Amino acid sequence: MVTERYKQNAQHIQEDLLWLEKIITLRFEIHHGKKSENTTLPSAPKFKGESFYKEITSKFKFTAAERVVLLLALIPHIKPYFLDDVWIRISAPGKIEGDKLQKVGTMPSVDLALFLLAGDDLEKRFYYRKIFDQESFMRTAGILIMENESADTPFLQQPIRITPDYLHLLTDGKDYKPDFSISFPAKRITTNRSMEDLILNSRTLEQVKEIKSWITHGKTLLDDWGLGDKLAPGYKILFYGPPGTGKTFTAALIGRDTGLDVYRVDLSMVVSKYIGETEKNLSKIFDIANNRDWILFFDEADALFGKRTELRDAHDRYANQEVSFLLQKVEEHNGVVILSSNLRANIDEAFMRRFQNTIYFPMPSVEERLRIWQQGFSVKSKLDKSISLEHFSDKYELSGGAIMNVIRYASLKALEQQKYTIQLKDMVNGIAREFSKEGRTI
């Protein structure tokens, strides 16, 4: 049962916290001369049963030292006053917990970890420091987050932070799905429809399948076939074509078919008029998305990835630097990135050379428009006898998105009249509304 797994998971973490408390107590006694410096630290407990926590610690073959660091990183999220309570028990055993001793929710630091593992032994402290190096598995696997190495905070005083991914995996066994926010200006897009509902010409559809093929076999190609040193990481694609031709819908369908989450980046929250802010905002997105099985979707990408301009003033120079920075971030990203634009010519050529695939989404043909009309209406509605979908398909060149807008308009008009029949006049008015958006008339 799911509830039993949560119970078992909590028990295993609690066992490790009791083990950590013993380590803290013993290290305190050694430091104050109550125990010998050569006293062996207690061994890590061996778990019975299965849990999310056990599964991950076993998968990565955590050493006892790495397990201590993992626990310290977890503490602020599961028992924020744990370190305060332990400190009170061992330093002021006669006090009631919290009595005249204010608990502050101590944030575990690198120095605390090294003290627990090595005490005052400088040689051992240097040895265990490697757990926090950029090349350590806890960093490369995306378990730990460290502050910028060049930050003002000294390295030993830096807090030990766990990534949201592993916090979720260790506590509830679920993948982390970030909420839309200033720090992550991207929203997950989903669809309940299937690839059978995607109406595209055969050439476009074939290229879309190539993306799915990469997602399915890309890791094998890079690792098992040994092409990782020869090919650029990740897979970058450009979708281009008129509005409403299915670019966003296709991205959502690729995610649904491959089991990957698709995040559409809100460019209004990324692009900034202040120098350096756009780069900072974009870095947040790529840093969070790195090493995750996500698809990043940049809709109306011209705003970010547009052509560089001739240098006329300082603004142009910074704008060009911005594009160069974006180029670097896209090139380094090891996941799937889809850029969407109405016009291919709007995208800087430097990006074009780095796309593994550029896919054109044309306006639908007469036959394709007919299929969209036929599949678009609710099964609860019916068409008036005067309506000929073949006529509408042949006479009015509309994108798939525009056709769905007409269907929405005509269906709402029917509901307003408490009817299930779609009327001809509402269809015509709906088409006229779509044409007017583009400056056209029926």
Side-chain angles (χ1 to χ4, degrees):
M1 293 176 61
V2 175
T3 52
E4 185 61 32
R5 286 203 70 188
Y6 280 108
K7 181 179 179 181
Q8 189 75 64
N9 199 61
Q11 181 179 327
H12 286 169
I13 293 177
Q14 184 61 39
E15 288 175 18
D16 258 12
L17 288 173
L18 292 173
W19 167 62
L20 180 62
E21 182 172 351
K22 292 178 182 177
I23 293 175
I24 296 172
T25 303
L26 183 57
R27 184 57 71 190
F28 176 85
E29 292 175 345
I30 293 172
H31 184 72
H32 290 279
K34 298 179 181 180
K35 291 285 180 72
S36 167
E37 181 68 38
N38 297 323
T39 304
T40 304
L41 295 178
S43 301
K46 295 181 179 179
F47 301 126
K48 295 180 181 179
E50 299 300 323
S51 70
F52 318 129
Y53 184 78
K54 178 184 177 181
E55 183 180 331
I56 291 175
T57 53
S58 299
K59 171 186 173 183
F60 287 110
K61 297 182 173 59
F62 275 77
T63 64
E66 291 163 347
R67 207 151 132 185
V68 167
V69 172
L70 181 68
L71 279 169
L72 290 173
L74 273 174
I75 282 171
H77 304 280
I78 57 175
K79 279 198 169 183
Y81 299 111
F82 173 83
L83 294 174
D84 296 331
D85 289 338
V86 172
W87 175 253
I88 292 170
R89 283 196 290 271
I90 63 178
S91 64
K95 293 281 185 182
I96 299 174
E97 286 187 10
D99 181 23
K100 296 182 181 180
L101 293 173
Q102 184 178 7
K103 294 192 280 188
V104 296
T106 302
M107 187 71 187
S109 65
V110 174
D111 185 53
L112 174 61
L114 296 181
F115 173 72
L116 295 179
L117 297 173
D120 298 318
D121 188 321
L122 199 57
E123 183 179 341
K124 286 184 178 179
R125 286 172 74 94
F126 288 157
Y127 174 78
Y128 285 119
R129 179 173 169 149
K130 67 181 183 180
I131 294 174
F132 303 97
D133 289 345
Q134 287 184 347
E135 297 79 15
S136 71
F137 99 85
M138 293 189 79
R139 295 281 297 276
T140 56
I143 299 173
L144 289 185
I145 303 173
M146 302 298 295
E147 289 183 5
N148 191 316
E149 306 278 337
S150 62
D152 294 334
T153 306
F155 180 77
L156 292 181
Q157 294 178 23
Q158 289 188 25
I160 303 173
R161 302 184 190 278
I162 191 168
T163 61
D165 298 74
Y166 278 92
L167 174 61
H168 282 256
L169 288 171
L170 287 162
T171 54
D172 61 18
K174 296 177 182 177
D175 290 330
Y176 170 59
K177 299 185 187 300
D179 294 325
F180 179 82
S181 64
I182 293 176
S183 59
F184 186 71
K187 188 175 295 184
R188 193 160 66 98
I189 57 174
T190 60
T191 180
N192 292 322
R193 301 172 72 182
S194 66
M195 276 291 178
E196 286 68 34
D197 298 313
L198 184 60
I199 300 172
L200 298 171
N201 67 70
S202 58
R203 171 60 180 158
T204 303
L205 199 56
E206 188 61 33
Q207 288 182 286
V208 169
K209 291 179 181 178
E210 290 175 22
I211 303 172
K212 293 171 59 180
S213 179
W214 167 263
I215 293 172
T216 304
H217 304 294
K219 187 171 178 58
T220 302
L221 192 69
L222 297 177
D223 297 341
D224 297 351
W225 283 38
L227 292 180
D229 296 330
K230 301 177 182 180
L231 299 177
Y235 200 78
K236 290 81 180 180
I237 314 105
L238 173 67
F239 287 177
Y240 68 100
T245 49
K247 298 185 287 294
T248 302
F249 180 42
T250 299
L253 281 175
I254 292 171
R256 184 183 187 279
D257 256 32
T258 58
L260 303 189
D261 288 330
V262 182
Y263 283 91
R264 178 166 56 190
V265 179
D266 186 340
L267 296 184
S268 67
M269 293 183 65
V270 173
V271 178
S272 173
K273 64 180 180 180
Y274 298 106
I275 294 172
E277 283 299 307
T278 299
E279 292 94 322
K280 186 191 297 185
N281 295 337
L282 196 74
S283 283
K284 290 177 184 177
I285 296 171
F286 278 108
D287 289 347
I288 293 174
N290 197 37
N291 292 319
R292 290 178 171 90
D293 287 332
W294 292 351
I295 296 173
L296 288 181
F297 181 68
F298 291 85
D299 199 6
E300 297 181 358
D302 320 49
L304 264 180
F305 304 92
K307 288 189 172 183
R308 280 171 280 197
T309 60
E310 294 181 8
L311 293 180
R312 292 187 298 271
D313 53 31
H315 180 272
D316 290 337
R317 182 168 65 253
Y318 285 119
N320 288 348
Q321 289 177 2
E322 197 174 89
V323 173
S324 298
F325 174 81
L326 299 176
L327 179 64
Q328 176 190 341
K329 297 301 289 186
V330 169
E331 193 166 22
E332 292 175 349
H333 187 61
N334 57 11
V336 177
V337 179
I338 300 176
L339 273 61
S340 174
S341 174
N342 293 340
L343 291 173
R344 182 182 187 276
N346 288 347
I347 302 298
D348 192 284
E349 281 301 319
F351 290 106
M352 296 301 302
R353 292 193 295 270
R354 287 162 175 81
F355 289 128
Q356 279 75 47
N357 208 337
T358 58
I359 304 178
Y360 178 52
F361 286 72
M363 290 289 284
S365 65
V366 174
E367 293 77 13
E368 289 159 0
R369 291 199 293 271
L370 178 59
R371 288 175 58 197
I372 297 171
W373 281 116
Q374 290 172 334
Q375 295 181 17
F377 288 97
S378 167
V379 294
K380 292 187 176 182
S381 67
K382 61 180 180 178
L383 302 180
D384 186 82
K385 293 179 180 179
S386 61
I387 294 175
S388 167
L389 295 183
E390 289 80 3
H391 169 73
F392 284 120
S393 305
D394 182 59
K395 185 174 181 180
Y396 302 112
E397 185 182 22
L398 292 166
S399 68
I403 290 174
M404 293 309 301
N405 284 341
V406 175
I407 291 174
R408 183 203 307 265
Y409 174 82
S411 299
L412 284 173
K413 286 298 180 182
L415 288 173
E416 286 176 1
Q417 300 171 45
Q418 297 183 331
K419 295 180 179 178
Y420 291 94
T421 302
I422 306 297
Q423 300 296 321
L424 176 61
K425 64 175 182 177
D426 295 327
M427 291 279 285
V428 173
N429 288 339
I431 292 172
R433 285 160 56 94
E434 293 304 309
F435 271 38
S436 67
K437 295 177 184 178
E438 304 171 15
R440 296 191 291 168
T441 57
I442 291 183

